[in-house]
Amino acid sequence: MRLGKNIYFTSAVSLVLGVCIGAMSYVAADRNNQQTLPVNEMRLFVDIFNQIKTSYVEPVDDKVLLENAISGMLSKLDPHSAYLGPEAYEELKVSTSGEFGGLGIVVSMEEGYVKVVSPIDDTPADEAGVKAGDLIVKLDDKNVYGMTLNEAVDLMRGKPRTKITITIIREGESKPIELTLTRDIIKVKSVKKKTLEKGYGYLRISNFQVDTGSDLKSAFKDILKENDNQLDGLVLDLRNNPGGLLDASVAVSDLFLDGGEVVSIKGRDKESEKHFKASTGDQTNNIPLVVLVNGGSASASEIVAGALQDHKRAIIMGTTTFGKGSVQNVIGIDKDHALKLTTARYYTPSGRSIQAEGIIPDIEVEMAKLTTLRSGDDYFKEADLDRHLENGSKEASATEKLKASFKTKTAEEEKPLAETDYQLYQALTLLKSIKIVKNLK
């Protein structure tokens, strides 16, 4: 990632640890395009600077004052614009490799507290039970209220295998929840796959990295092979996916689309308007597709969901997404410092801006815990009658075969999908319904 090369990022906010990212591109600072400075305001700035230098109770280093001034300028803009010092700038570049140190949560600032946008799969935060929407109010014994986002992130940083206790407020809970997490090196595997049942595949993207597009393509081929090259439906899970590289979101969309626009970027400068298109040919052969989203699905996830929704290529299911539709440029000032500045909004193929609104699913399904009141086996049946007439078939019935297959499964596998992941269960049910309707024609 060298300066001057445009690399777009589309992540919600801040990865702990350690990065602040959001749909971005690296560009070199343009020192030849400087407008006239406001003389009176600059004079006021210099006067205040001098007053602090001469009158403040303790000496303050010039560098500290100037960096604070820079941060102050950006703090009153949108929450995704920021000044990147050497450490933050390096973390930004390292994060896209999919390996970084920390807790594994994507966070933003809301009403003075740190809000969890989403936990990252298989990280300390995920394993400890941190959920999207949680408000972090204390870090160990320090109150978060009044801190900047960077200050809170700094406190969450630390060496691997060291512990931190976070206190969170969760909607629906009457008391704060304390969770102790052990920091670790976060290695994010962006694509996961499995066969839900014969003929129905599942692909999950946890975030969008450099190789996510090619990894997803390979995972799809693996699932296709597992199912004898015959799939009746596919679920693409983008829940709690905070985003990442824009190019990766275009590559993911390209897998399912037969040409057409994926996303466009528009800012104040009309010459900077960009359009990203999919190549000709749906590489999945138009297999019925359900995309799962929720409030933790942000930026790149919303680009994919919006593109597939607008092209009527997939049914979007779940809850309304995060709603980050802005683009940030990472402008390299020198080799150690950069400016992350919001410069544009992105738009779905139909021209929608999802900024602060999100993608509204075609079918809204809340995350729920389903409790089965009565199963089919609870009923008294013909087969339970004494001296019942046998079926007459020499082979075991389909029901008996199914029961026998369950005997070899573990206790966890025996749990119905409806109980372990209700939204995924509904997605699978919808795909089965599509197959049934097709067969009726």
Side-chain angles (χ1 to χ4, degrees):
M1 298 181 188
R2 53 191 175 82
L3 297 179
K5 181 178 179 181
N6 284 352
I7 302 179
Y8 291 86
F9 292 83
T10 63
S11 179
V13 255
S14 203
L15 288 177
V16 183
L17 260 306
V19 21
C20 291
I21 56 181
M24 303 180 265
S25 67
Y26 284 109
V27 296
D30 185 358
R31 304 185 190 279
N32 297 319
N33 190 28
Q34 295 178 347
Q35 298 182 3
T36 303
L37 294 174
V39 176
N40 291 336
E41 285 75 9
M42 291 302 297
R43 184 179 293 114
L44 177 63
F45 174 83
V46 172
D47 288 344
I48 292 173
F49 182 91
N50 287 331
Q51 284 294 332
I52 295 172
K53 287 288 296 179
T54 58
S55 304
Y56 187 64
V57 64
E58 294 178 349
V60 186
D61 185 82
D62 288 352
K63 181 180 178 182
V64 172
L65 277 177
L66 290 171
E67 289 198 341
N68 287 343
I70 294 169
S71 297
M73 279 193 291
L74 291 158
S75 68
K76 294 301 181 181
L77 303 179
D78 71 293
H80 306 295
S81 296
Y83 167 68
L84 304 178
E87 186 176 331
Y89 191 22
E90 181 63 26
E91 286 173 349
L92 172 63
K93 292 182 282 187
V94 169
S95 70
T96 57
S97 69
E99 181 174 330
F100 49 91
L103 303 177
I105 40 180
V106 181
V107 295
S108 64
M109 202 59 132
E110 183 173 296
E111 298 180 357
Y113 295 105
V114 174
K115 183 176 183 179
V116 177
V117 175
S118 65
I120 300 172
D121 290 352
D122 305 321
T123 62
D126 181 42
E127 292 168 0
V130 176
K131 295 183 179 181
D134 286 346
L135 285 179
I136 300 176
V137 296
K138 286 184 70 175
L139 296 169
D140 284 331
D141 59 348
K142 296 182 179 179
N143 289 318
V144 169
Y145 191 80
M147 294 183 186
T148 66
L149 184 59
N150 284 340
E151 287 171 342
V153 169
D154 285 341
L155 285 177
M156 288 186 270
R157 290 177 175 144
K159 295 181 179 179
R161 294 182 295 279
T162 60
K163 295 183 182 296
I164 182 172
T165 298
I166 64 174
T167 303
I168 61 175
I169 294 176
R170 178 174 297 163
E171 187 176 355
E173 298 289 340
S174 58
K175 296 180 179 179
I177 301 169
E178 285 191 0
L179 297 173
T180 300
L181 288 72
T182 302
R183 299 179 179 94
D184 200 358
I185 297 297
I186 309 299
K187 297 180 180 180
V188 181
K189 183 179 181 182
S190 67
V191 177
K192 293 182 180 180
K193 64 175 176 65
K194 65 180 176 181
T195 295
L196 296 171
E197 56 183 69
K198 192 66 175 177
Y200 296 95
Y202 171 86
L203 294 169
R204 168 156 179 78
I205 303 176
S206 58
N207 70 338
F208 289 81
Q209 302 171 8
V210 174
D211 298 323
T212 298
S214 57
D215 288 347
L216 187 72
K217 187 174 181 179
S218 297
F220 171 72
K221 289 181 177 179
D222 290 342
I223 289 180
L224 198 59
K225 188 176 180 181
E226 289 174 9
N227 290 273
D228 304 320
N229 294 316
Q230 182 61 49
L231 280 175
D232 296 312
L234 192 64
V235 177
L236 178 63
D237 190 352
L238 299 178
R239 292 173 298 177
N240 295 327
N241 181 323
L245 293 171
L246 175 67
D247 285 347
S249 72
V250 175
V252 167
S253 302
D254 193 13
L255 183 68
F256 303 102
L257 295 175
D258 183 8
E261 187 167 286
V262 175
V263 66
S264 61
I265 295 174
K266 301 174 185 178
R268 285 169 58 191
D269 182 3
K270 298 300 180 183
E271 294 182 0
S272 66
E273 184 174 321
K274 296 182 182 296
H275 295 264
F276 298 84
K277 298 182 181 296
S279 56
T280 303
D282 181 343
Q283 300 173 62
T284 62
N285 198 29
N286 205 36
I287 289 170
L289 178 66
V290 174
V291 178
L292 288 175
V293 295
N294 64 6
S297 307
S299 275
S301 301
E302 295 171 295
I303 288 174
V304 173
L308 297 179
Q309 187 179 54
D310 282 3
H311 284 287
K312 295 178 169 49
R313 174 61 185 89
I315 297 170
I316 312 301
M317 179 181 283
T319 56
T320 302
T321 60
F322 184 77
K324 182 185 179 295
S326 61
V327 179
Q328 285 72 43
N329 276 348
V330 176
I331 303 167
I333 306 302
D334 56 35
K335 67 183 182 67
D336 294 323
H337 301 82
L339 175 66
K340 179 162 69 77
L341 191 66
T342 299
T343 57
R345 291 180 177 89
Y346 68 74
Y347 297 82
T348 70
S350 66
R352 290 183 293 163
S353 169
I354 57 88
Q355 174 62 26
E357 291 186 4
I359 298 291
I360 299 172
D362 300 308
I363 301 176
E364 186 168 349
V365 178
E366 296 283 350
M367 195 61 194
K369 186 174 182 180
L370 183 66
T371 302
T372 304
L373 298 178
R374 191 168 190 175
S375 69
D377 290 338
D378 292 335
Y379 290 91
F380 191 77
K381 300 179 180 179
E382 171 73 14
D384 298 314
L385 294 173
D386 191 24
R387 304 190 311 279
H388 67 268
L389 189 64
E390 294 296 333
N391 179 267
S393 172
K394 291 183 179 180
E395 293 187 13
S397 68
T399 301
E400 290 171 334
K401 287 180 177 179
L402 184 61
K403 286 182 178 180
S405 69
F406 273 104
K407 292 178 182 178
T408 61
K409 295 182 179 181
T410 66
E412 182 62 30
E413 288 173 323
E414 285 179 2
K415 289 184 179 179
L417 183 60
E419 291 185 18
T420 58
D421 191 336
Y422 182 69
Q423 289 174 322
L424 181 55
Y425 165 75
Q426 290 288 10
L428 179 59
T429 300
L430 178 58
L431 289 172
K432 289 180 177 179
S433 301
I434 292 172
K435 180 184 179 183
I436 291 171
V437 171
K438 281 186 177 181
N439 290 339
L440 289 175
K441 293 180 179 179

